[in-house]
Amino acid sequence: MALFYISCINVCLYVQVSNTSIEFRNFLLQRRGHQLEPDLSEEVSARLRLGSGSNGLLRRKISILETKEKNCSGKEKDKRTDDLLELTEDMEKEISNALGHGPQDEILSSAFKLRITRGDIQTLKNYHWLNDEVINFYMNLLVERNKKQGYPALHAFSTFFYPKLKYGGYQAVKRWTKGVSLFEQELILVPIHRKVHWSLVVIDLRKKCLKYLDSMGQKGHKICEILLQYLQDESKTKRSIDLNLLEWTHYSMKPHEIPQQLNGSDCGMFTCKYADYISRDKPITFTQHQMPLFRKKMVWEILHQQLL
């Protein structure tokens, strides 16, 4: 009986590790042109703890969040009406075609010096991990939207900015703001890729603060410190002004403060939607349940190069 019990534990562990390996391998196939850090032990460990449906911690997390969703007030639900836009039959057909069969290298949208292929678009299928191209294109759409009157002045860095800064220092990214007056912006978005997980830093120049948003509840103090030092270097180099760092704060938002993902595949979508809401100065009220609709909307938005 004891031998049988031990055998069952080994099988369960093998299945969990295998599922994680498959998910990671699929992501590597989806993500083009970006070298991943080789040590994945920390993130894979997090995936095993949070990404497995058989894990008690995740079941409790899902139960708590779903209870909050059911018990939210009518006013809170009303706040979400802007996200409940129904797609027309023509829109659904166009989205389905983009997600359907065809040459993976076929270019379906081109703007912002970026080209989105069918293969890129298909990372927006349910349960797939978004790649750099899709996230960068979407961030550019947010910047374009915010050029309209009534929205905060917005700048978004590429997904490749932070690793370049982290490993190369300020000199490696000094020219990334050529033609951009960074300190004339109100909000700056910095998508972060942590091994196999997307998250977001929002720099609010109005409040002199950096916020780290992570849909799996991880903390980003070190990331914020690196970005705060970047702001100091940028200010001294481009404006000859020293920032008073004592006036600046940084903060990792806690899991109860922002929506959290309930699976192992939607971190990129959460990162994009955090950016969308914050760039409109809106409270972040979406939930995991809206992700399938958000994915479809994003396909249409990228194809048409405009936000719904």
Side-chain angles (χ1 to χ4, degrees), residues 49 94 99 114 117 120 128 143 149 163 216 261 266 281 284 297:
R49 291 198 306 274
E94 190 174 8
L99 295 174
L114 297 171
T117 66
D120 296 326
H128 285 59
V143 171
Q149 189 173 1
M216 276 192 156
Q261 67 186 95
D266 276 332
D281 279 335
I284 304 174
K297 284 175 63 176

Side-chain angles (χ1 to χ4, degrees), residues 183-284:
F183 290 92
E184 291 180 7
Q185 311 303 311
E186 294 176 274
L187 295 172
I188 301 168
L189 305 175
V190 188
I192 304 293
H193 194 257
R194 299 179 73 173
K195 298 176 182 177
V196 290
H197 180 57
W198 290 109
S199 55
L200 180 72
V201 173
V202 177
I203 303 172
D204 192 329
L205 292 164
R206 302 166 298 186
K207 300 177 182 178
K208 296 185 179 179
C209 74
L210 294 82
K211 286 188 178 180
Y212 177 76
L213 295 88
D214 191 302
S215 58
M216 276 192 156
Q218 298 182 91
K219 295 180 180 178
H221 298 309
K222 181 63 177 177
I223 295 171
C224 288
E225 287 173 1
I226 291 172
L227 288 170
L228 185 54
Q229 182 59 51
Y230 164 76
L231 289 178
Q232 175 68 290
D233 294 336
E234 177 80 355
S235 181
K236 286 196 291 187
T237 302
K238 303 292 175 67
R239 307 190 301 171
S240 299
I241 296 174
D242 274 321
L243 297 182
N244 182 356
L245 297 184
L246 295 176
E247 297 177 346
W248 287 76
T249 60
H250 60 78
Y251 175 69
S252 294
M253 298 197 74
K254 295 179 174 60
H256 70 271
E257 295 177 309
I258 53 174
Q260 298 286 284
Q261 67 186 95
L262 304 182
N263 59 30
S265 57
D266 276 332
C267 57
M269 287 300 305
F270 273 76
T271 294
C272 288
K273 295 312 292 183
Y274 289 154
D276 174 28
Y277 277 66
I278 286 177
S279 64
R280 291 183 281 150
D281 279 335
K282 296 288 186 182
I284 304 174

